[in-house]
Amino acid sequence: MDRRLAGLADAVLQPGFDGTSPPDWIRRRLADGLRSVVLYARNIGHAEQVASLTAALRAERPDVIVAIDEEAGDVTRLEARTGSSRPGNLALGAADDVELTEAVAHHLGRELAGLGITLDYAPDADVNSNPDNPVIGVRAFGADPQLVARHTVAWVRGLQLAGVASCAKHFPGHGDTGVDSHHDVPVIAADRASLDACELVPFRAAIDAGVRAVMTGHLVVPAVDPHRPATLSKPVLTDLLRVDLGFDGLIVTDAIEMDAVARRYGLGGATVAALAAGADAVCVGGELWDEATAVGLREAIVRAVLDGALTEERLVDAAERVATLASWSRAARLVSHRVGTGSPHPGLTAARRAIRITAAPDGVPWPFPAAPHVVELSPPMNMAIAPGTPWGVLAPLSALVPATTGIRLTDADLDGDAAIAEAIDAQLDRAAGRSIVVVVRDAHRHEWMRNALKHVLATRPDAVVVEMGLPAGPLAATQICTYGASSACARAVAELLAGVGPSSEQPAAALAH
């Protein structure tokens, strides 16, 4: 194999790997030309371990780009075992304080920089204009393009002031879709004028703010290219993003093994097509993280150059853009280490600020006279969320009110009217004489969840409903919306229900009758 081309091919890959220390193949590849890696929850143990891991990577290549998919909120890798101590984008959008958003992003950036991480695949700059979206939802700042734009800018600014490159995603916008690109190809049906007025607004703002990277979306936008997903589309990546929007930074693909592109084009074919279209770095490793996959992609890139499917000039350009980001990251990291931060963790403050309450006419019933019973209705998680990431109100409320009882029920437990009646009646019996709290997550998207909730409310109209997903209309007389299910959001609502801490003060702005 042509060693020069192999080195260039390695330079444009951003592979993941298994384990909490770099495997031998990653070390070898860094010496041979690999310039980036990406970390996931499986690589994260504790702070000292992560810092040791990145130091070992940097010992092989001092300017290595160490990326992570850390949005905070529901999509967290750093805190996948505990739940994020920061709220996600929708909660920040609900609070709508750009200084607070910047503070949250800067605090996260300081943590990432201290761990040796230099690129964060965040923020999610999608405008979630479709409430039935199965994969974005609370990951977006909201459904209003201008709100999303101003918070995207605040996030980019806060993160990059901490010395970590920000990556706005999923270009040209994954918000107006009912399909998860992990599984199939979404289609954004908007015409070009609508794209300019909605989807592209936050990306233009991020580019104007100096965002260092943009991540592609695996979705078809017929108004720009009716034939190929954006990740593989020259009209989208080169003509729209580079020329029309004037972006000169790094274009990185969403995980190339996702079904939206890999099923039809194959891993190698999708990788080559993405590079030819204008992508500079190919992310792989969310689901496939073995050496054979990385070797296969390197070989596919080299063959494409030799066969003429990918020009060497384009590959060199992509590798140079990777090198440019590596140089920026190295310089920014040195500067950021000289900037101290004595600021307290803003995560819980932001989560408290996001809470919105719909109160019954006779007011809110908390703090409860006796320990309540909690019923959590848990939907299947989308693949953007690390498996096992904890969520819910039962655990944090039990910590504050030790006699609290509860249960978590899934769609398998509540499959059909008879199963719902049996399971919910049993919980109503357990809650007899006490307050009952029902916790849901995107209830508007799950019929079984809505039916179970209706069964509770038919007997207990006084039930308090906590929506930890995307709110889509009132569910009960007394409802609390957290706009996310991170541990920060859970703690904030638990404080409210327990009548302790600042959350219990229920500011008037948060109340809606």
Side-chain angles (χ1 to χ4, degrees):
M1 179 180 289
D2 186 309
R3 291 182 62 84
R4 178 175 174 275
L5 289 180
L8 288 170
D10 261 337
V12 301
L13 295 175
Q14 293 191 344
F17 56 88
D18 196 19
T20 54
S21 60
D24 289 342
W25 71 269
I26 284 287
R27 292 176 182 269
R28 292 195 309 270
R29 295 288 287 277
L30 286 170
D32 291 341
L34 186 68
R35 303 204 67 151
S36 310
V37 298
V38 57
L39 305 183
Y40 291 92
R42 63 179 178 268
N43 305 119
I44 308 297
H46 51 81
E48 292 78 9
Q49 169 267 318
V50 178
S52 177
L53 184 157
T54 61
L57 294 168
R58 204 157 280 111
E60 303 293 341
R61 177 174 286 276
D63 64 346
V64 62
I65 297 171
V66 182
I68 193 168
D69 187 20
E70 177 62 43
E71 298 177 14
D74 290 20
V75 179
T76 179
R77 314 304 175 196
L78 281 182
E79 299 179 284
R81 290 171 176 79
T82 60
S84 178
S85 57
R86 303 170 179 91
N89 284 2
L90 191 63
L92 295 172
D96 197 13
D97 179 341
V98 292
E99 292 183 358
L100 182 61
T101 295
E102 183 173 343
V104 170
H106 188 260
H107 192 273
L108 172 61
R110 291 292 299 161
E111 182 176 356
L112 294 174
L115 295 172
I117 296 168
T118 57
L119 169 63
D120 187 11
Y121 296 154
D124 189 312
D126 299 313
V127 180
N128 195 66
S129 52
N130 184 349
D132 291 327
N133 195 314
V135 69
I136 303 301
V138 298
R139 300 168 65 194
F141 290 110
D144 175 72
Q146 297 301 327
L147 180 145
V148 174
R150 62 178 174 265
H151 286 278
T152 293
V153 168
W155 183 280
V156 169
R157 186 167 53 236
L159 196 69
Q160 293 189 169
L161 281 173
V164 175
S166 180
C167 179
K169 63 187 184 186
H170 306 81
F171 188 82
H174 206 314
D176 189 13
T177 175
V179 175
D180 183 346
S181 53
H182 288 89
H183 304 298
D184 208 341
V185 186
V187 176
I188 307 299
D191 59 26
R192 179 56 197 269
S194 298
L195 289 174
D196 282 331
C198 185
E199 280 82 2
L200 297 181
V201 171
F203 289 99
R204 289 186 187 275
I207 291 166
D208 289 345
V211 69
R212 304 302 304 188
V214 169
M215 176 175 278
T216 68
H218 299 328
L219 42 92
V220 173
V221 188
V224 183
D225 184 345
H227 305 296
R228 287 196 164 201
T231 296
L232 316 182
S233 170
K234 187 173 181 180
V236 173
L237 300 190
T238 299
D239 300 341
L240 178 57
L241 182 54
R242 287 278 187 230
V243 179
D244 290 0
L245 271 64
F247 179 61
D248 196 40
L250 186 81
I251 300 176
V252 59
T253 72
D254 205 347
I256 207 68
E257 68 268 31
M258 291 165 62
D259 281 349
V261 291
R263 182 188 300 166
R264 177 177 176 184
Y265 299 94
L267 284 180
T271 294
V272 170
L275 293 168
D280 307 305
V282 176
C283 171
V284 60
E287 300 167 56
L288 299 172
W289 54 80
D290 57 291
E291 180 179 8
T293 296
V295 169
L297 294 184
R298 177 179 63 185
E299 292 175 348
I301 295 168
V302 172
R303 281 196 307 271
V305 174
L306 296 176
D307 294 343
L310 175 66
T311 68
E312 184 173 341
E313 180 183 21
R314 171 79 270 273
L315 181 59
V316 169
D317 175 62
E320 287 177 347
R321 290 184 186 277
V322 173
T324 297
L325 181 63
S327 296
W328 179 91
S329 295
R330 193 176 186 187
R333 184 168 179 266
L334 293 174
V335 171
S336 70
H337 278 190
R338 295 198 295 268
V339 180
T341 176
S343 59
H345 196 311
L348 187 53
T349 297
R352 291 165 175 157
R353 290 271 304 278
I355 287 177
R356 296 295 181 269
I357 304 162
T358 300
D362 54 351
V364 297
W366 57 78
F368 304 120
H373 185 64
V374 178
V375 179
E376 295 179 340
L377 304 179
S378 180
M381 296 298 108
N382 69 62
M383 292 182 67
I385 299 172
T389 303
W391 74 280
V393 174
L394 177 58
L397 186 56
S398 297
L400 296 174
V401 184
T404 298
T405 59
I407 192 171
R408 174 167 290 184
L409 300 172
T410 69
D411 54 344
D413 301 313
L414 303 173
D415 185 12
D417 291 343
I420 288 173
E422 180 180 1
I424 296 301
D425 285 345
Q427 299 313 308
L428 291 169
D429 288 344
R430 292 184 67 189
R434 294 190 290 156
S435 299
I436 186 168
V437 177
V438 184
V439 185
V440 296
R441 193 167 177 175
D442 296 326
H444 67 285
R445 292 187 50 241
H446 304 283
E447 184 178 10
W448 67 268
M449 191 181 294
R450 296 194 304 276
N451 289 340
L453 181 57
K454 289 176 183 176
H455 197 91
V456 172
L457 294 172
T459 301
R460 294 291 302 269
D462 63 322
V464 176
V465 176
V466 178
E467 171 61 87
M468 301 194 79
L470 181 72
L475 299 170
T478 304
Q479 179 173 312
I480 305 169
C481 295
T482 63
Y483 299 91
S486 73
S487 68
C489 294
R491 172 71 189 192
V493 75
E495 289 179 346
L496 181 69
L497 295 173
V500 300
S503 294
S504 65
E505 297 172 6
Q506 302 168 16
L511 290 170
H513 294 278

